[in-house]
Structures are given as structure tokens and as C-alpha cells.
Amino acid sequence: MKYLYYPGCSLKSSGKHYEISLLAVLQKLGIEVEELENWNCCGATNYMSINENYALEITARNLGIAEKQGGDEVIVPCAACFMGFLKTQKYMESESGIRDRVNQILNHSGLSYNGKVQIRHPLDLLVNQLGADALTRTVEMPLKDLKVASYYGCQLIRPYATFDDQWNPHTMDDIARAMGATPVDWPLKSRCCSGSMTSTMTDIGLRMNYVILKEAKSRGADVIITACPLCQFNLECFQGKISRKLKDDVRIPVMYFTQLMGLAMGIPAKKLGLKQMLSPSLVLN
Amino acid sequence: MNASSSEILTQGLTVKLEADLDKNFGETIAREAHGEKLFGCIQCGNCSAACPLSVWMDYTPRKVIAMVRAGFKQEVLSNRTVWLCASCYQCTVECPKGIKITDVMYALKREAIENKIYPKNFPVPILARTFYSEVKRTGRINEIFLLTNYYLRYNIFKMLGYASLGVRLFMKRRLSLFEKGMTNRKEFRSMLNQ
């Protein structure tokens, strides 16, 4: 099995610690990945808002590169990229008009996408393929007594993903449990973090993140884990501002699930990007 | 009864003479959104209840659908409501009639951009358009360039509120001016111009 890896823009900048920790965890598990050559941005929600043809074309270009590079599966860790990839795949599969038009455009660059490469989220790979037992065997430092609130956000599981339960997702909770931690049951697991609204409609964006942080804290969580660079960024980088503005201390460590795994697996902190974080760091006993 | 009775009747609603409606609007949007069955909407309001942003919208998602199929083109497209949709797809998975409401919202955003009647000086479409041109320019997003260009177009003074966060992220090397980009930008751009 040849795994390709599509980082997307966030994992090369503000979400660098996602990439660092993901690659460290995969390496420890003996899974080799090869980065997609000359990939482009997935367009996120913005391309869909401006021009649907372009939105599908630029994502299909990445899928076309993956086919040309000869991978069986492409690993897409960012929730927004992952959703965009699935959407493009679905549209090209179900509407022949779109498929032909997009492939015609890709042909100019010597590319085409025919559905050969499958799209995988790392959570799917880790939980559904490797399995929780295999993950438990890699644990060197069980995260005993640690209460973890898994925050899935929106686009990771809605509307196309099939690897987890759309209504009550559990793959990150499975991972937390496999690492020896205790998942917290809470109702905002897949509530939207407002996306880029923290930079556009600031008051709304901050309020939406406040609700999530507050709920996780009131359920007794020691840490929130996420799988989306935008969720992680919002919850981590704005928690100080939210606490000051709304006069309520909602500060709490917010990490990527791969960072939490790395800690339990005994991977050194510097290989998990922990030093690049702004939120209070997790203190392990 | 006094003059306020008509106000009560129209409170929160948009009233218009039938002759002034854009009758094809509903069908246009349904087609744009890949044949979504807008006319099958039973107005149950599950979408509005599920939407985490509906409390800040002028028209809730349920009302947007009613207005679209009735032909309130100008009102829907020039309003900020559709731009408050963060594409979280909660409405889409909750709709008992299987209408992909998020995709309807996308179709409305595109229609507003195409007709140039999106709300001006409203930050969300400005960010979307900046993001669009940044990707077209370089193939990838560099957050420093994206946000600087966005605030230049929107309101440069608003950027000051983010200055200290930006510096801290820069020190942590989570923002960089020199990220490895694509090597064949020209080819990428020409793909988008076809």
C-alpha cells in the first residue's frame, strides 16, 4: 500500500504542529507517506462561494497528481481539505458532465482523475484500519487520569465522510481511550467553530468559540483535542482574548489528537510541535 | 386598531407586490445547486434550529428558502445572511426532505458575486474574494499575505487588533514570509483561465 500525503496550506504554516506530530506518529507506527508533488490549495469554502467550476478543478488537480504519482490512498489530515476532496470525488463520480469537463481541463496539464486513488483521513486509517488495540500496544506512557474532550468540528464528518458516525462521532474518543485517557461525554463535539469568522465577524466568531471552550471546561476536560487546523487555531489562539473580553476564564490546552498520541507513545515534545503552541500546555505527571 | 397593525403583520417579513418578484429565481438557484428540490421544502424550520449562526441572521435558513422560491432575488442576494453561513453542513444533515441547504447557500453566494449585488464593505465576501485571488496568484495560501490583503481591502485599522497575535505566531514560526510554494504557478494559473 502506497500512501500519499496532502498537507494543505495550514499544515505548512499556522498548523505546522499538526504536520510535525502526524508525521512523527505515523513514523512510529511504521507507516510511510510520500508528499504530493506540487500540490495546490484546496480552495476551502471560499472557492465554492465564488466559482464552483474552479473549486472542483483545483481539487481535482490534486487528485489527478495523486493518480499520476501512483498512490493507492491519499491521506488528507485537514478537515476542510478532506471535505473538499470528498465533495469533488462525489461530484465527478455522480455527474458525468462535471467529470468530462474537469478532466478535459486537467488533460492540458497531463492529468486526469478517474477515482483510482482513495481519500483517507488519518483518523480513519488509525482507528478503522490499524485498530485501537494496535494503538494501545504502542503506548509507553499511559495518559492516566487525563480527561479529554474530543472536538470534531463540522466538515470532518459532515456531510460526506463515512468513516465515523455523523451524529455522534467517536474515532478521536477511541484514540484517547487507547492512550489510557478518559474521553469526556459532551454535546458540542461537532458544533461549528465559526471557521474564519474570528477574522471577519469577530464578535460572532469569538462567541461561538467561547461556547465550545466553556462547555468542555464545565464537563471537566483537562484538554481539548481536534483534527482540524482551523478549529485548533480558533480555540487555541483566541482563548486568551475570549477570556478577557467575556470576563470568564475559559483557557484550556487545545492540541491535535496526534500530539496527544505522541505524548502517550513516548515521542519527545520537540518532535510533536509542542513548543509552537500558544495555549497553556498540558502538564503530565 | 391603529397604524401599527400593518407593522405587526409584516414584522420580520418581506412584503412585495407579485409583479415585482423575480419568478424564475427559485428555479435558477435550484439548478445552480445541482437540482436541489427547493420546492419540496415543507418549511419545518429544522435547518434554522440546527444552524449555529441563525441567531445572527436577518433571515433564518428556512426563510431564505421561502424567499428564494417566491422570487425575492434582490433581498436575498444583497443581504448579509447567506454570507453568515459558515458551511458547517448541520442543516444539510438535519433536513427531513434531504435538501442540501449548504449547497443552496453556496449557489446564492455565487449568484450574488456574479450579479455584483453582494453586500459591499461586508467582511465575509471580501475575505472570500481575497482568498480566491491569492490562490490564483500563487497556488497556495500564505496566511500573512492573505490577511494583509484582506485587511487592506476591508479596513486596515482592524488589523491592529491582531498584531500581537501575529507577532507571537511569527516568533513560534507558525507564520512565515517565505513558504515553499508551487514550482509551476504559470501552468496552474492558465488552468484557471481556461
Side-chain angles (χ1 to χ4, degrees):
Chain A
M1 183 74 87
K2 181 173 171 182
Y3 291 110
L4 296 170
Y5 162 60
Y6 173 81
C9 310
S10 292
L11 272 78
K12 294 291 181 189
S13 53
S14 61
K16 214 170 250 177
H17 43 321
Y18 193 6
E19 172 170 77
I20 295 171
S21 57
L22 173 71
L23 296 181
V25 164
L26 291 180
Q27 192 187 22
K28 183 109 181 180
L29 292 167
I31 299 169
E32 268 180 55
V33 295
E34 186 182 301
E35 188 170 320
L36 216 62
E37 285 160 16
N38 243 325
W39 53 269
N40 56 267
C41 168
C42 76
T45 55
N46 299 302
Y47 263 64
M48 261 306 159
S49 310
I50 308 271
N51 187 320
E52 185 180 70
N53 290 343
Y54 289 172
L56 297 172
E57 284 159 21
I58 63 173
T59 304
R61 180 183 176 273
N62 290 320
L63 287 164
I65 292 171
E67 276 196 2
K68 195 175 185 182
Q69 218 169 312
D72 301 295
E73 294 187 347
V74 56
I75 295 177
V76 187
C78 166
C81 303
F82 179 62
M83 203 283 299
F85 273 56
L86 291 179
K87 189 166 193 152
T88 303
Q89 185 189 44
K90 180 138 183 119
Y91 278 25
M92 286 182 76
E93 219 173 66
S94 58
E95 292 189 40
S96 59
I98 292 182
R99 182 172 57 237
D100 296 344
R101 193 186 47 74
V102 170
N103 272 334
Q104 206 180 345
I105 284 169
L106 293 187
N107 276 337
H108 292 288
S109 319
L111 300 169
S112 72
Y113 178 61
N114 304 297
K116 271 182 232 146
V117 177
Q118 287 310 303
I119 300 154
R120 273 266 178 142
H121 192 272
L123 278 171
D124 184 19
L125 179 71
L126 296 173
V127 177
N128 298 331
Q129 188 160 316
L130 286 180
D133 291 342
L135 297 179
T136 306
R137 281 195 291 275
T138 64
V139 172
E140 287 175 15
M141 244 175 60
L143 306 172
K144 259 187 223 148
D145 304 322
L146 189 73
K147 287 192 180 156
V148 178
S150 303
Y151 178 62
Y152 299 79
C154 49
Q155 300 192 342
L156 175 65
I157 47 162
R158 284 194 298 267
Y160 302 112
T162 50
F163 74 88
D164 204 338
D165 185 338
Q166 226 168 37
W167 307 96
N168 188 18
H170 55 81
T171 43
M172 266 194 285
D173 300 73
D174 296 343
I175 285 181
R177 214 173 280 118
M179 300 297 117
T182 313
V184 168
D185 187 27
W186 67 311
L188 301 185
K189 281 179 170 184
S190 61
R191 171 121 175 169
C192 173
C193 77
S194 85
S196 51
M197 256 175 233
T198 40
S199 316
T200 50
M201 306 296 291
T202 313
D203 290 341
I204 295 177
L206 295 183
R207 171 63 68 168
M208 286 175 75
N209 281 281
Y210 168 72
V211 171
I212 295 160
L213 292 163
K214 174 88 182 168
E215 184 65 26
K217 266 199 121 165
S218 68
R219 298 268 170 166
D222 301 309
V223 57
I224 298 176
I225 55 172
T226 72
C228 170
L230 205 46
C231 299
Q232 200 277 341
F233 185 86
N234 279 339
L235 292 173
E236 181 203 12
C237 298
F238 291 111
Q239 56 175 257
K241 196 173 193 167
I242 293 168
S243 300
R244 281 194 305 277
K245 247 188 147 160
L246 300 175
K247 298 188 175 59
D248 192 0
D249 187 4
V250 287
R251 285 172 303 161
I252 180 174
V254 182
M255 312 167 84
Y256 288 108
F257 72 98
T258 42
Q259 292 181 301
L260 190 85
M261 287 180 81
L263 284 174
M265 290 159 77
I267 299 172
K270 68 173 179 195
K271 279 193 168 179
L272 296 172
L274 289 176
K275 294 201 171 131
Q276 289 179 298
M277 306 196 59
L278 302 180
S279 67
S281 52
L282 190 62
V283 182
L284 290 177
N285 303 317
Chain B
M1 296 285 277
N2 53 29
S4 66
S5 63
S6 67
E7 280 167 31
I8 292 165
L9 280 173
T10 59
Q11 201 173 37
L13 294 171
T14 306
V15 176
K16 216 172 186 181
L17 290 173
E18 201 173 338
D20 296 331
L21 295 169
D22 191 312
K23 293 222 180 67
N24 298 323
F25 188 48
E27 272 153 31
T28 306
I29 294 301
R31 201 173 43 243
E32 250 296 301
H34 300 268
E36 278 312 306
K37 297 182 181 61
L38 283 186
F39 293 88
C41 168
I42 56 171
Q43 290 287 295
C44 68
N46 263 348
C47 48
S48 305
C51 177
L53 283 139
S54 61
V55 289
W56 290 289
M57 290 174 174
D58 295 332
Y59 311 121
T60 57
R62 179 188 66 82
K63 273 187 195 163
V64 168
I65 292 181
M67 289 170 76
V68 167
R69 57 185 190 184
F72 287 90
K73 179 176 174 176
Q74 182 69 29
E75 288 75 5
V76 171
L77 296 188
S78 60
N79 190 271
R80 59 177 214 159
T81 289
V82 294
W83 295 99
L84 283 181
C85 169
S87 316
C88 83
Y89 292 90
Q90 189 75 55
C91 52
T92 296
V93 300
E94 298 283 358
C95 177
K97 297 293 278 181
I99 300 170
K100 298 185 189 74
I101 300 157
T102 313
D103 291 325
V104 174
M105 292 291 184
Y106 273 135
L108 290 167
K109 290 174 189 172
R110 292 195 297 267
E111 196 71 11
I113 294 275
E114 213 163 282
N115 285 282
K116 296 194 170 63
I117 46 175
Y118 56 92
K120 302 291 176 321
N121 295 324
F122 189 61
V124 188
I126 297 175
L127 180 66
R129 293 176 70 231
T130 311
F131 191 103
Y132 174 80
S133 43
E134 278 299 296
V135 173
K136 199 167 175 180
R137 193 170 64 84
T138 65
R140 294 181 192 172
I141 283 293
N142 175 309
E143 283 150 337
I144 295 182
F145 294 131
L146 171 71
L147 290 171
T148 308
N149 283 327
Y150 158 68
Y151 284 111
L152 279 171
R153 287 192 196 187
Y154 173 44
N155 180 349
I156 191 68
F157 297 108
K158 298 243 180 200
M159 197 169 177
L160 296 173
Y162 296 90
S164 78
L165 176 61
V167 170
R168 282 163 72 211
L169 289 167
F170 192 81
M171 301 302 281
K172 296 269 184 187
R173 279 184 277 164
R174 278 167 68 179
L175 287 178
S176 162
L177 284 165
F178 311 102
E179 271 158 36
K180 205 178 142 220
M182 290 172 77
T183 53
N184 50 352
R185 292 178 185 186
K186 259 192 191 152
E187 187 197 310
F188 180 73
R189 260 198 298 270
S190 73
M191 187 183 100
L192 288 180
N193 287 330
Q194 276 168 37

